[in-house]
Structures are given as structure tokens and as C-alpha cells.
Amino acid sequence: MSNDIQTQRAGAPGAPEQADRKQAAPRYGNAALTPPVDVVEDAGGITLYADLPGVSRENLNLHVEAETLTIEAESGLTVPDGLKTSHTEVGLGRFRRVFTLSKELDTEKVSAELAQGVLTLRIPKAEHAKPRRIEVQVA
């Protein structure tokens, strides 16, 4: 899967020691996982739902610059003291996703909520892009 960076199984030839996860982190450099995102559009704008497991509000950064939305986050998932992992599916806790936004969206009115590992972003349409009814006058 292109979204995942997988580590080798502990104890396998060439596998890094998993006891100290902080030591293994530099091997990924600036790598980041691409969180899965659902985008729903309605008459009033768009809503994005991004899966960010283990991410707290303090470790979440949202940026809107011109027509670009950037989501960056760090997961707080760690191995508890005294435990050692025997297998790690995803050994990286950094997420990053970039979107190009339509000029029809009002980036000044973005709202965001993070609950149970799901980020919900609401971006309303700009007034000039909203559907409107035109009144017809009878002459």
C-alpha cells in the first residue's frame, strides 16, 4: 500500500532493534504517512474527514495559504515502558497531506474539529459561488 511505511519484523535478519523507537525514527528522515481522507461536497461547501489515529490537538497543524490546504500531524502512540514490540506494522507516526482548493471555497471561514482520531474540516463555499434564486419580475 502506498500510504504505509512498513518496518521489518523484530528478530528478522537486518531488522532494527525495536526497544528504542526514538532511535529508529531518523531512518525515515522527512517521510510521512498519507492519511486517508473522505471529501463530501454539498450546496454549502465541502467537508473533509481525515483519519489521524493517536494525534492530539497539540500535535496537529493545519495551514491554508492561497489555494493550498496542508494537514500535518504527529502521532502520540508510543510503546509503554517495560514493553517491547514483537511486530510493528507502521513504525512512523507522522502524517502529511496537501490539497489544492477551488477558488469557489471561502478559506477565511474554515472550521476544524478533532474527535477520536478523526479530523473534520468544514470549508464553506464563497458567497459568489453559492447557488442563488433569481427573482423574475412580471412586466
Side-chain angles (χ1 to χ4, degrees), residues 1 5 10 21 23 27 39-41 47 49-50 69 72 77 80 86 99 102 111 117-118 122-123 132 135 138:
M1 189 182 304
I5 294 178
R21 298 183 127 233
Q23 205 173 45
R27 99 175 202 222
V39 180
V40 179
E41 182 176 6
T47 305
Y49 300 97
L69 166 68
E72 294 178 312
L77 299 175
S86 61
F99 297 91
S102 166
S111 62
V118 178
R122 177 69 182 164
I123 308 173
R132 58 187 171 94
E135 188 77 29
V138 178

Coordinates of all heavy atoms in Angstrom, one line a residue, residues 1 5 10 21 23 27 39-41 47 49-50 69 72 77 80 86 99 102 111 117-118 122-123 132 135 138:
M1 N 0.9 -1.2 0.0 CA 0.0 0.0 0.0 C 0.9 1.2 0.0 O 1.8 1.3 0.8 CB -0.9 0.0 1.2 CG -1.9 1.0 1.2 SD -3.0 1.1 2.6 CE -3.6 -0.5 2.7
I5 N 4.5 3.0 5.5 CA 5.9 2.6 5.5 C 6.0 1.5 6.5 O 5.7 1.7 7.7 CB 6.7 3.9 5.9 CG1 6.6 4.9 4.9 CG2 8.2 3.5 6.2 CD1 7.4 6.2 5.2
A10 N 10.7 -7.7 14.1 CA 11.8 -7.8 15.1 C 12.3 -9.2 15.1 O 11.6 -10.2 15.0 CB 11.2 -7.4 16.5
R21 N 12.3 3.1 20.0 CA 11.7 3.6 18.8 C 12.2 5.0 18.4 O 12.3 5.3 17.2 CB 10.2 3.7 19.0 CG 9.6 2.4 19.3 CD 8.1 2.5 19.4 NE 7.6 1.5 18.5 CZ 6.7 1.7 17.5 NH1 6.2 2.9 17.3 NH2 6.4 0.8 16.7
Q23 N 15.2 6.0 18.5 CA 16.5 5.8 17.7 C 16.2 5.4 16.3 O 16.9 5.8 15.4 CB 17.3 4.7 18.4 CG 18.7 4.7 18.2 CD 19.5 3.7 19.0 OE1 19.0 2.6 19.1 NE2 20.5 4.1 19.6
R27 N 15.8 7.2 10.6 CA 16.0 6.5 9.3 C 14.9 6.9 8.3 O 15.1 6.6 7.1 CB 16.1 5.0 9.6 CG 14.8 4.2 9.4 CD 15.1 2.8 9.6 NE 14.1 2.0 8.9 CZ 13.5 1.0 9.4 NH1 13.9 0.5 10.6 NH2 12.6 0.4 8.7
V39 N -13.9 13.2 1.2 CA -14.4 14.6 0.9 C -15.8 14.5 0.5 O -16.1 13.8 -0.5 CB -13.5 15.3 -0.2 CG1 -14.0 16.7 -0.4 CG2 -12.0 15.3 0.2
V40 N -16.7 15.3 1.2 CA -18.1 15.3 0.8 C -18.4 16.7 0.5 O -18.2 17.7 1.2 CB -18.9 14.8 2.1 CG1 -20.4 14.9 1.7 CG2 -18.5 13.4 2.5
E41 N -19.1 16.9 -0.7 CA -19.5 18.2 -1.1 C -21.0 18.3 -1.0 O -21.7 17.4 -1.4 CB -19.0 18.5 -2.5 CG -19.4 19.9 -3.0 CD -18.9 20.2 -4.4 OE1 -18.3 19.3 -5.1 OE2 -19.0 21.3 -4.9
T47 N -16.8 19.1 3.2 CA -16.4 18.6 4.5 C -15.3 17.5 4.2 O -15.6 16.6 3.4 CB -17.5 18.0 5.3 OG1 -18.5 19.1 5.4 CG2 -17.1 17.6 6.7
Y49 N -13.0 14.5 6.0 CA -12.8 13.7 7.1 C -11.5 13.0 7.0 O -11.3 12.2 6.0 CB -13.9 12.6 7.2 CG -15.3 13.3 7.3 CD1 -16.1 13.4 6.2 CD2 -15.8 13.7 8.6 CE1 -17.4 14.0 6.3 CE2 -17.1 14.2 8.7 CZ -17.8 14.4 7.5 OH -19.1 14.9 7.6
A50 N -10.5 13.3 7.8 CA -9.2 12.7 7.7 C -8.9 11.8 9.0 O -9.1 12.2 10.1 CB -8.1 13.7 7.7
L69 N -4.3 23.8 1.1 CA -4.6 23.3 2.4 C -3.6 22.2 2.8 O -3.4 21.3 2.0 CB -6.0 22.7 2.5 CG -6.3 21.9 3.8 CD1 -6.3 22.9 5.0 CD2 -7.6 21.2 3.7
E72 N -0.7 18.5 8.7 CA 0.5 17.9 9.2 C 0.2 17.5 10.7 O -0.4 18.3 11.4 CB 1.7 18.8 9.2 CG 2.1 19.2 7.8 CD 3.3 20.1 7.7 OE1 3.2 21.2 8.4 OE2 4.2 19.8 7.0
L77 N 1.4 7.9 19.7 CA 1.4 6.4 20.0 C 2.8 6.0 20.3 O 3.7 6.1 19.5 CB 0.8 5.6 18.9 CG -0.6 5.9 18.5 CD1 -1.0 5.1 17.3 CD2 -1.5 5.6 19.7
P80 N 4.6 1.5 25.7 CA 4.7 1.8 27.2 C 6.0 1.3 27.8 O 6.5 0.3 27.3 CB 3.5 1.0 27.7 CG 2.5 0.8 26.6 CD 3.4 0.7 25.4
S86 N 7.0 -6.9 19.3 CA 7.5 -8.1 18.6 C 7.2 -7.9 17.1 O 7.8 -8.6 16.3 CB 6.8 -9.3 19.1 OG 5.4 -9.3 18.9
F99 N -3.7 19.6 -0.2 CA -4.8 19.7 -1.1 C -4.8 21.1 -1.8 O -4.5 22.1 -1.2 CB -6.2 19.6 -0.4 CG -6.4 18.3 0.3 CD1 -6.0 18.1 1.6 CD2 -7.0 17.2 -0.4 CE1 -6.2 16.9 2.2 CE2 -7.2 16.0 0.2 CZ -6.8 15.9 1.6
S102 N -10.4 24.8 -4.5 CA -11.1 25.6 -5.5 C -11.2 27.0 -5.1 O -11.4 27.3 -3.9 CB -12.5 25.0 -5.7 OG -13.3 25.9 -6.5
S111 N -13.5 25.7 9.5 CA -13.6 25.2 10.8 C -13.1 23.8 10.9 O -13.2 23.1 10.0 CB -15.1 25.3 11.3 OG -15.9 24.4 10.5
G117 N -9.6 10.5 16.9 CA -8.7 10.2 15.8 C -9.2 10.6 14.4 O -8.6 10.3 13.4
V118 N -10.3 11.3 14.3 CA -10.9 11.8 13.0 C -10.9 13.3 13.0 O -11.6 13.9 13.9 CB -12.3 11.2 12.7 CG1 -12.8 11.8 11.4 CG2 -12.2 9.7 12.7
R122 N -14.5 21.7 7.8 CA -15.6 22.3 7.0 C -15.1 23.5 6.3 O -14.6 24.5 7.0 CB -16.8 22.6 7.9 CG -18.0 23.2 7.2 CD -18.6 22.2 6.3 NE -19.7 22.8 5.6 CZ -20.3 22.4 4.5 NH1 -19.9 21.2 4.0 NH2 -21.3 23.0 3.9
I123 N -15.2 23.6 5.0 CA -14.8 24.8 4.2 C -16.1 25.2 3.4 O -16.5 24.5 2.5 CB -13.7 24.5 3.3 CG1 -12.5 23.9 4.1 CG2 -13.2 25.8 2.6 CD1 -11.3 23.4 3.2
R132 N -28.0 30.6 -6.1 CA -29.0 31.6 -5.6 C -30.2 31.6 -6.6 O -30.0 31.3 -7.7 CB -28.4 33.0 -5.4 CG -27.7 33.5 -6.7 CD -27.0 34.8 -6.3 NE -26.2 35.2 -7.5 CZ -26.7 36.1 -8.4 NH1 -27.9 36.6 -8.3 NH2 -25.9 36.4 -9.4
E135 N -35.0 36.2 -8.9 CA -36.4 36.6 -8.9 C -36.8 37.2 -10.3 O -36.0 38.0 -10.8 CB -36.7 37.7 -7.8 CG -38.1 38.1 -7.6 CD -38.8 37.0 -6.8 OE1 -38.2 36.4 -6.0 OE2 -40.0 36.9 -7.0
V138 N -42.5 40.5 -13.3 CA -43.5 40.5 -14.4 C -43.7 41.9 -14.8 O -43.9 42.8 -14.0 CB -44.9 39.9 -13.9 CG1 -45.9 39.9 -15.0 CG2 -44.7 38.5 -13.4

